[in-house]
Amino acid sequence: YGLSPENPIQVGGSFFDGPDREHIYLNVLRGPNGESISFVRLGSKNAPNSFVTLDEYEVTITSTGETFIVYIDMYFYRKPYAPLGLSCGGNMPLKAP
């Protein structure tokens, strides 16, 4: 979940509020033991076999330097969770738009 373009994290929204919703989601993520993370947007790409555009982020666990690439869909919504290898630093504040 979230680690491949075939199964992206769906935060919902639109062209206008989608990037903010992505950042809200990413700001809740933590390393597996609650470590802080940083993230950088790498760009956008089309989802396989779809016209949906995904945003690709590199997420780094600050203390270890371990990196993950996560794929986020800002147009469709499904209750978001942390990808395998990461955790949430609190309740996920995103609700269906």
Side-chain angles (χ1 to χ4, degrees):
Y1 169 75
L3 302 177
S4 74
E6 292 81 16
N7 191 17
I9 299 152
Q10 295 177 315
V11 298
S14 68
F15 178 77
F16 299 104
D17 67 347
D20 288 338
R21 292 176 66 83
E22 290 179 343
H23 289 172
I24 290 167
Y25 170 81
L26 291 164
N27 283 322
V28 175
L29 287 184
R30 300 287 179 268
N33 299 307
E35 305 96 319
S36 64
I37 61 131
S38 62
F39 56 89
V40 175
R41 184 176 177 273
L42 301 176
S44 296
K45 66 186 307 175
N46 288 336
N49 304 314
S50 172
F51 294 108
V52 174
T53 300
L54 305 176
D55 287 327
E56 186 177 40
Y57 286 87
E58 181 179 68
V59 174
T60 302
I61 299 173
T62 308
S63 62
T64 65
E66 184 178 3
T67 62
F68 298 81
I69 303 297
V70 297
Y71 298 89
I72 302 180
D73 175 350
M74 70 176 179
Y75 297 106
F76 293 93
Y77 180 82
R78 179 176 58 190
K79 184 176 179 182
Y81 298 95
L84 187 63
L86 296 169
S87 65
C88 290
N91 289 332
M92 187 60 65
L94 291 177
K95 306 290 183 233

